[in-house]
Amino acid sequence: MHFPVASALALLPLSAHAVNIISSNDDGWAEINIRQLYDSLTEAGHSVVISAPAENESGTGSDDGTPTVLTSACEFDSCPAGSPAYGSNATEPRFNYVNSYPVTSIKYGINTLASTFFSGASPDLAVTGPNVGSNLGWEVFFSGTVGAATYAANTAGIPAIAFSGATGEQTAWNVSAVPLYSQVYAELATKLTDQLIAGGDAPYLPDNVWLNVNFGAVTDGGSCATADEFSFVLSRIHTALPLITADDVETCGSTRLPTETAVVDSDGCYVSVSVGLASDKLDANATVQGVVLERLGDLLTCL
């Protein structure tokens, strides 16, 4: 049973309106997960623009650097050697690469591309990933997917969500058959995004706040093979220290949230949703956790 701070939102119908979303990752602009998420969010009615690294930049955290001309081909031969530092897909201008880090890429999307594709408006929301592999606990300090999301939330003031998935490997956008996990993760990410938007007027998250969302493993042909089989659980990023860490928001009969690692590693099909401060990548306090708990309403369940 779920015990939110205020249960009224759980009674509201899900009616997310279309918003402007900037999308990035650290696995590269041609990796299939970011393209699947683009398709899913677009089908849900949102206006989405991808601004992601030309290459796999996993593990680069919050690094930032001046983009340079490509000396070799983009990942999966998605652009040739000698291509400019910034570029886009020839047939889909909303697919953009930046030959630099994830933070640099999303910064370009926010500061340059948004004005073109969003009629001069800033993005309403930033999403990153789904990352190939989980980003749990201390891993958030090194993840470029997280670095891009926290840049958006802290420096640019845009609500942000970093998505990561336990299943998968680096896969090109043009693979003959889209992996099941990539489809499931895109659907789950869209489901949470829509619920967050439907939970109330903008801004969709408090200032300096991002969500770290980790999807459990997808098993093709077994359990956890569809998005409907997964449950979302409010969690914390870092392990609480006895007698030191303040209480979390009260929910599910406790004032201590499970860690996202405990959620993802549990038997069953789970998604961890942690509320972090973008300035230091640590957990937000109980009050801020409570705001997210209310916004997500009945999407959340107990572990």
Side-chain angles (χ1 to χ4, degrees), residues 6 9 22 36 70 80 104 118 126 135 138 167 169 193 201 206 210 219 229 238 262-263 265-266 268 284 291 301:
L9 285 174
I22 193 73
Q36 283 294 299
L70 283 112
T104 313
F118 302 151
N135 279 308
W138 61 269
T167 301
E169 59 185 7
T193 299
D201 295 334
W210 64 290
T219 53
E229 293 174 87
H238 304 287
V263 172
D265 287 348
S266 295
V291 172
T301 188

Side-chain angles (χ1 to χ4, degrees), residues 14-303:
L14 182 62
S15 57
H17 59 278
V19 302
N20 296 324
I21 299 175
I22 193 73
S23 173
S24 193
N25 67 0
D26 70 5
D27 293 310
W29 79 308
E31 210 285 326
I32 196 165
N33 280 357
I34 196 171
R35 301 294 182 91
Q36 283 294 299
L37 181 55
Y38 173 91
D39 289 345
S40 183
L41 290 170
T42 301
E43 289 170 6
H46 304 296
S47 177
V48 185
V49 173
I50 290 175
S51 185
E55 302 281 358
N56 180 1
E57 295 289 347
S58 297
T60 53
S62 293
D63 290 348
D64 189 8
T66 303
T68 58
V69 173
L70 283 112
T71 58
S72 59
C74 290
E75 66 174 353
F76 308 121
D77 293 323
S78 53
C79 68
S83 294
Y86 306 88
S88 62
N89 182 279
T91 58
E92 180 44 84
R94 286 175 177 259
F95 295 171
N96 293 266
Y97 73 78
V98 178
N99 191 32
S100 187
Y101 300 111
V103 165
T104 313
S105 301
I106 201 167
K107 181 193 298 186
Y108 176 70
I110 293 169
N111 296 338
T112 302
L113 297 176
S115 61
T116 299
F117 292 99
F118 302 151
S119 301
S122 297
D124 299 303
L125 188 68
V127 299
T128 60
N131 190 71
V132 178
S134 302
N135 279 308
L136 304 166
W138 61 269
E139 293 171 338
V140 302
F141 296 116
F142 306 99
S143 166
T145 293
V146 170
T150 53
Y151 171 85
N154 181 35
T155 306
I158 298 169
I161 312 171
F163 295 108
S164 302
T167 301
E169 59 185 7
Q170 284 281 330
T171 304
W173 89 100
N174 60 349
V175 66
S176 57
V178 177
L180 176 65
Y181 69 83
S182 189
Q183 300 174 52
V184 171
Y185 290 159
E187 187 175 342
L188 287 169
T190 301
K191 185 175 183 179
L192 185 141
T193 299
D194 282 347
Q195 184 86 15
L196 184 70
I197 295 167
D201 295 334
Y204 303 114
L205 290 170
D207 289 343
N208 188 38
V209 167
W210 64 290
L211 300 184
N212 193 42
V213 179
N214 278 274
F215 307 122
V218 171
T219 53
D220 198 344
S223 60
C224 308
T226 67
D228 290 340
E229 293 174 87
F230 281 83
S231 298
F232 293 80
V233 176
L234 192 66
S235 57
R236 58 179 295 113
I237 303 170
H238 304 287
T239 301
L241 300 177
L243 305 179
I244 296 178
T245 305
D247 287 346
D248 293 316
V249 63
E250 184 172 1
T251 185
C252 297
S254 175
T255 56
R256 179 60 68 217
L257 297 173
T259 63
E260 52 195 14
T261 301
V263 172
V264 173
D265 287 348
S266 295
D267 290 337
C269 313
Y270 289 105
V271 180
S272 64
V273 183
S274 298
V275 187
L277 297 178
S279 53
D280 56 17
K281 301 177 185 176
L282 299 177
D283 288 282
N285 63 30
T287 300
V288 176
Q289 291 170 344
V291 172
V292 174
L293 183 63
E294 289 193 17
R295 288 200 71 105
L296 294 181
D298 62 353
L299 179 71
L300 297 172
T301 188
C302 298
L303 184 62

